[in-house]
Amino acid sequence: MSDKKNHIDNLFKEKLGERSFEVPAAFLADLENKLDAPILASKRIPGFWFWLSSILVVGMATTGYFMLEETETTPKLHSAIKTENKITTRKFANSEALFVKVKNADDKETFVAASTFKKAAKAFQPENQKKLSAMKKEVETNFKRVEDSIKLANQSNLMASSGPRNSSPDPTNSGDRTLDNREEQLLVYLGANNIVRKFLTQDPQFGAFNGQRRQFLTDATNLSFVDDTLRRIRYVIIDSVVIRDSLVIRDSIIYIDSSLQNPTKTTKLKDEGKKSRFEIQAFGGFMMVRPKIESPFDTYPKLLKSKETALTTPNFGFALNVYLRDLCIGSGAEYYHWGDKSAFTETQTSNEMTFDINTFYQYILDSNGQVIDSIPFTQIDTNIITVASTKNYNVTNTYSQFSIPLKFGYVFGKNKWKFIPRVGLNFEFAMARRTGIYVDQNGNNPFEVTERNFGMSYVISTELRRDFGNWHVFVCPYFRNNINFLIESPEMNRKYGGFGTTFGIGVRL
Amino acid sequence: MDINEPLIEQIRKNDRKTILTLYNETFSVLMSVAVRYNNNEEDQMTIVNNSFMKIITKIDQYKVGSSFFSWAKRIGQNEIIDQFRKEKNYKELFQFDAENELKQESTVENSIDEKIEAEELERILHQLPNATKVVFNMYAIDGYSTKEIQKELNIKYETVKWHIKEARKKLRVLMAPEMETK
């Protein structure tokens, strides 16, 4: 029975195993078409996961944008505070100042003036901003003072108008100023919170800025004076505030770097003192990859590991980060490789037949014992010997990935140096090279495996950065690991993990 | 045709003449595999040409000095197995009623005529159910072991054995008329 089984198997193997065929024209035409578009054919259009990830990135960016907008326009400071972003700029000779356009008591649009302080500017630099709660409290207190001030001023104004005038009003003395232009008064008072109080209390430090004497900035202020002031200071701070029908309307704080060296560089601050912001980063680096192998055959992973070594692969990409105060959400795109370096020996055995040929002679003797004839005999001995030949191979299996990450981080550090630990997920899409070669459980017969189309990995990173204004450079060591198997085959399943470092540059948008 | 480094370099450079020469050389190997698994010419063309495209795109992975045609054949076999796996519910094709089948015993004890033509054997082979045909092809002709088939197709060991046995039984039945006509 067993012979019959083998017989039918052998019959099919012999007859159908190796045959000769002519190439049909249709086959050749089809091949020509494939050869004409090899790249298109090999490029896969990612499906569901690609679009999901893309939507995720766009959605995140849009959400961040609207969060930013909402933070700027939502009145949070006081129930009586409204925000009006009617801001315009007026250019000066070599610098740029900001003026806030408001409506005056006659409902006519006008520009109200800016407060200008060097020390004040320092206090308003982003890293010196107070916490939101402290800011709120302070501003609310100031509003109350404003209201009190208005009442007092009105009372004194009434008293002054009812009593005799001893001298003409001095426009440079706050006590002598009338409150006809409340907008301006309040602007000056509230404009820079505690800093403005110094202004009103005739802080001598301010006097140093206008050279000769203290001077309010009003609609009537000579622009050359403003211009001259701007030339000598680095920062201008404006806080637009108007009172209309006892309602306090506060605009956002504007912070300007108006130095001559960089006259148009501006940064807008929100009421909270910090705001959501975007940044973009470009980076490149390397990763040392190691495989993690599972197999139903106990000794197989050990065998493979003994033949494989870590592979160092390059990576590059860009990241788009949104900062919500100290929290950071990031996405972008990255290109990197998983893989391994495998060295193995293939042993091929073949049976070879050898022949030992021996010739013997049979001699025919006569009665005297003399040889009268000889008959040669040839004896052939057949030997089958097994010949084993080995070949050494060094294979580098790489699996290229296009990845869309989603990362979450927290910013430590308020100065130029910052430390940002992050955790994230990578949505990986297989790219060009998708197959690898490995030996079987016996360390022989190399076979091919194909990686999966889509996968996920997690990443833990720590970014160390140094800010240079809006720009920054960073170094970011990280650990990345497959969540699911990159390769699944009956013989084995493979994941990859690796340590790496990226170096990059970024800019705040 | 000697597959050496200069030839591989020509393929890398997408030299059409070299690629077509290689195609002509490799065609019989790939077609021999394809015709055993599929009797539809269009499917055969897909298997052969897809396999060949893999050969030229992965030519870097070929180790100069080893048997090129064995490597090409392996790619062809993998292509067929991949295609087979892509079929929806392909595992259901392997399901069988074990109890009923075990009661059946082959009563056909034909002697086999070795003079039967390859084309005729091919026609008979394609009369097997698809799953049985695949398993028999892999086992009897391509030299896979039962365990390898079990792993490649992700089916039970007993299922593999059953399909091999079933293939032999059915082939004997199918070959009987051929014997009578000869």
Side-chain angles (χ1 to χ4, degrees):
Chain A
M1 190 69 187
S2 176
D3 287 345
K4 281 181 181 173
K5 284 178 190 172
N6 289 337
H7 190 59
I8 199 164
D9 292 358
N10 289 339
L11 178 68
F12 274 87
K13 187 170 186 175
E14 282 167 16
K15 297 275 182 180
L16 302 180
E18 299 287 338
R19 294 162 69 189
S20 183
F21 292 91
E22 290 294 318
V23 182
F27 280 54
L28 213 48
D30 180 65
L31 181 75
E32 293 271 8
N33 286 337
K34 281 186 162 66
L35 289 170
D36 285 339
I39 298 166
L40 283 175
S42 63
K43 278 187 179 175
R44 302 173 59 84
I45 299 171
F48 173 76
W49 288 107
F50 177 83
W51 291 111
L52 178 70
S53 306
S54 304
I55 290 166
L56 203 65
V57 172
V58 173
M60 202 181 69
T62 312
T63 307
Y65 176 76
F66 282 113
M67 285 175 78
L68 181 67
E69 288 294 298
E70 193 180 339
T71 316
E72 284 183 339
T73 56
T74 303
K76 288 182 179 176
L77 297 178
H78 192 274
S79 60
I81 299 173
K82 284 186 180 176
T83 302
E84 287 185 353
N85 286 318
K86 294 178 179 175
I87 299 167
T88 187
T89 60
R90 183 175 291 176
K91 285 196 173 179
F92 293 94
N94 293 311
S95 60
E96 187 181 58
L98 286 185
F99 284 77
V100 180
K101 190 163 67 176
V102 296
K103 289 181 178 178
N104 61 17
D106 300 327
D107 209 30
K108 289 180 182 174
E109 283 192 345
T110 182
F111 291 99
V112 294
S115 312
T116 54
F117 309 93
K118 190 173 184 180
K119 281 197 171 182
K122 197 173 181 182
F124 273 80
Q125 286 184 47
E127 54 267 32
N128 295 330
Q129 285 295 307
K130 295 176 181 175
K131 296 283 183 189
L132 176 64
S133 56
M135 281 287 281
K136 271 183 179 179
K137 193 173 178 182
E138 185 171 16
V139 174
E140 283 169 6
T141 309
N142 282 335
F143 275 116
K144 195 169 183 305
R145 285 179 186 165
V146 169
E147 287 167 0
D148 294 342
S149 170
I150 291 166
K151 284 176 191 170
L152 284 170
N154 283 338
Q155 284 171 7
S156 63
N157 208 24
L158 285 170
M159 286 171 66
S161 61
S162 61
R165 283 178 180 273
N166 296 328
S167 60
S168 59
D170 179 2
T172 63
N173 185 328
S174 64
D176 293 333
R177 289 171 59 84
T178 67
L179 291 175
D180 291 342
N181 191 348
R182 287 181 184 176
E183 294 165 353
E184 184 187 42
Q185 285 288 322
L186 291 169
L187 172 75
V188 174
Y189 189 85
L190 280 176
N193 302 323
N194 56 334
I195 307 302
V196 177
R197 286 201 292 277
K198 285 182 184 175
F199 185 93
L200 292 176
T201 54
Q202 302 181 23
D203 189 334
Q205 286 185 337
F206 177 75
F209 277 94
N210 57 16
Q212 298 295 318
R213 56 180 182 153
R214 183 167 58 86
Q215 185 175 347
F216 283 115
L217 303 177
T218 71
D219 285 347
T221 302
N222 190 332
L223 290 181
S224 64
F225 171 76
V226 178
D227 194 23
D228 186 51
T229 307
L230 291 171
R231 282 173 188 280
R232 286 184 285 145
I233 65 167
R234 185 171 173 77
Y235 300 103
V236 177
I237 293 162
I238 303 167
D239 193 337
S240 63
V241 178
V242 292
I243 283 190
R244 193 180 301 146
D245 299 329
S246 73
L247 184 69
V248 180
I249 303 170
R250 186 176 190 273
D251 208 315
S252 53
I253 297 167
I254 312 296
Y255 162 88
I256 311 166
D257 180 347
S258 62
S259 65
L260 290 175
Q261 289 77 17
N262 195 4
T264 57
K265 193 174 167 185
T266 64
T267 306
K268 197 172 179 179
L269 299 182
K270 296 193 306 292
D271 292 337
E272 289 86 347
K274 285 187 177 177
K275 66 179 180 180
S276 306
R277 63 183 189 276
F278 285 98
E279 72 177 20
I280 192 163
Q281 295 175 317
F283 58 83
F286 61 88
M287 176 168 66
M288 188 174 279
V289 184
R290 278 190 180 279
K292 294 172 185 177
I293 308 164
E294 288 181 15
S295 171
F297 310 103
D298 293 340
T299 55
Y300 192 31
K302 199 174 174 183
L303 173 85
L304 288 171
K305 279 177 187 171
S306 70
K307 294 176 183 300
E308 292 177 12
T309 52
L311 180 68
T312 303
T313 61
N315 65 314
F316 59 88
F318 74 90
L320 179 68
N321 297 322
V322 183
Y323 290 88
L324 306 170
R325 303 193 64 190
D326 291 331
L327 290 173
C328 170
I329 305 172
S331 187
E334 191 176 354
Y335 184 75
Y336 54 84
H337 311 278
W338 296 118
D340 48 69
K341 208 183 272 182
S342 182
F344 58 85
T345 304
E346 185 183 12
T347 306
Q348 290 177 329
T349 56
S350 61
N351 291 330
E352 290 186 4
M353 198 177 280
T354 61
F355 302 98
D356 292 335
I357 303 172
N358 296 307
T359 305
F360 301 98
Y361 292 90
Q362 184 182 3
Y363 298 98
I364 300 170
L365 307 177
D366 61 12
S367 56
N368 296 324
Q370 296 297 313
V371 176
I372 57 171
D373 199 2
S374 62
I375 303 168
F377 290 92
T378 302
Q379 181 180 325
I380 303 173
D381 292 335
T382 307
N383 300 311
I384 296 175
I385 56 170
T386 302
V387 179
S389 60
T390 56
K391 284 177 183 166
N392 296 319
Y393 296 114
N394 288 304
V395 180
T396 302
N397 297 311
T398 53
Y399 308 103
S400 307
Q401 309 291 313
F402 171 74
S403 161
I404 297 178
L406 181 61
K407 296 178 185 175
F408 299 91
Y410 190 86
V411 182
F412 293 97
K414 303 290 179 189
N415 298 317
K416 290 181 178 177
W417 288 95
K418 290 187 178 69
F419 176 67
I420 310 171
R422 286 190 176 96
V423 292
L425 279 176
N426 285 329
F427 301 91
E428 298 175 342
F429 302 92
M431 297 289 282
R433 299 181 68 177
R434 303 186 55 219
T435 55
I437 294 178
Y438 301 96
V439 287
D440 67 7
Q441 300 96 293
N442 301 316
N444 258 318
N445 302 323
F447 64 95
E448 196 176 65
V449 292
T450 306
E451 66 166 313
R452 47 96 183 104
N453 294 331
F454 171 78
M456 289 173 76
S457 62
Y458 66 83
V459 62
I460 301 167
S461 65
T462 53
E463 179 183 315
L464 181 65
R465 72 162 64 174
R466 169 71 159 85
D467 287 337
F468 298 95
N470 281 343
W471 290 84
H472 65 268
V473 293
F474 65 92
V475 58
C476 182
Y478 63 88
F479 172 71
R480 182 165 21 219
N481 199 41
N482 280 144
I483 293 173
N484 49 354
F485 289 110
L486 188 83
I487 289 166
E488 288 179 303
S489 74
E491 293 84 359
M492 60 168 172
N493 295 331
R494 276 174 177 268
K495 282 181 184 178
Y496 289 90
F499 287 95
T501 304
T502 53
F503 307 90
I505 186 167
V507 63
R508 191 183 296 175
L509 300 174
Chain B
M1 188 176 194
D2 190 20
I3 311 299
N4 49 25
E5 280 296 343
L7 189 129
I8 290 172
E9 190 55 36
Q10 289 297 311
I11 294 168
R12 275 198 208 106
K13 288 176 183 172
N14 209 15
D15 182 76
R16 188 60 65 94
K17 192 180 171 186
T18 309
I19 289 171
L20 292 178
T21 308
L22 185 68
Y23 183 70
N24 283 324
E25 293 284 333
T26 322
F27 184 78
S28 290
V29 174
L30 296 175
M31 193 64 178
S32 293
V33 179
V35 294
R36 285 189 278 112
Y37 288 86
N38 275 292
N39 55 352
N40 178 300
E41 192 178 315
E42 202 172 324
D43 291 339
Q44 291 168 0
M45 185 168 73
T46 305
I47 288 166
V48 169
N49 286 353
N50 283 355
S51 303
F52 186 74
M53 288 304 290
K54 280 188 180 173
I55 288 169
I56 58 169
T57 52
K58 292 169 187 171
I59 196 73
D60 288 330
Q61 294 174 11
Y62 166 68
K63 311 293 172 238
V64 176
S66 61
S67 169
F68 174 76
F69 294 118
S70 299
W71 182 69
K73 187 178 174 183
R74 181 82 188 194
I75 288 178
Q77 288 163 351
N78 284 347
E79 176 68 21
I80 286 165
I81 293 167
D82 284 348
Q83 294 278 350
F84 191 66
R85 281 176 179 160
K86 281 177 191 170
E87 285 183 22
K88 281 186 179 177
N89 306 321
Y90 85 92
K91 281 190 181 179
E92 287 176 12
L93 294 172
F94 290 99
Q95 286 178 357
F96 62 97
D97 188 345
E99 283 189 10
N100 290 336
E101 293 296 339
L102 287 172
K103 287 174 190 170
Q104 294 179 15
E105 287 296 330
S106 174
T107 54
V108 183
E109 293 292 337
N110 297 321
S111 59
I112 296 167
D113 185 357
E114 292 186 9
K115 288 176 184 172
I116 193 164
E117 293 298 325
E119 286 73 17
E120 195 52 40
L121 282 179
E122 188 186 311
R123 190 186 63 76
I124 291 169
L125 187 65
H126 285 304
Q127 291 181 48
L128 292 177
N130 204 21
T132 307
K133 181 174 69 181
V134 169
V135 172
F136 182 76
N137 256 318
M138 290 174 79
Y139 181 80
I141 306 171
D142 289 329
Y144 284 80
S145 69
T146 44
K147 281 196 172 181
E148 284 172 331
I149 298 169
Q150 176 198 348
K151 282 181 277 172
E152 287 286 347
L153 300 177
N154 198 17
I155 54 177
K156 288 180 183 174
Y157 181 78
E158 292 75 22
T159 310
V160 178
K161 295 290 276 184
W162 182 86
H163 278 289
I164 294 169
K165 188 182 167 189
E166 184 69 4
R168 285 174 181 150
K169 191 171 77 180
K170 285 190 171 164
L171 286 172
R172 279 201 187 88
V173 173
L174 291 166
M175 287 168 78
E178 301 300 324
M179 300 300 108
E180 287 166 11
T181 56
K182 283 184 181 286

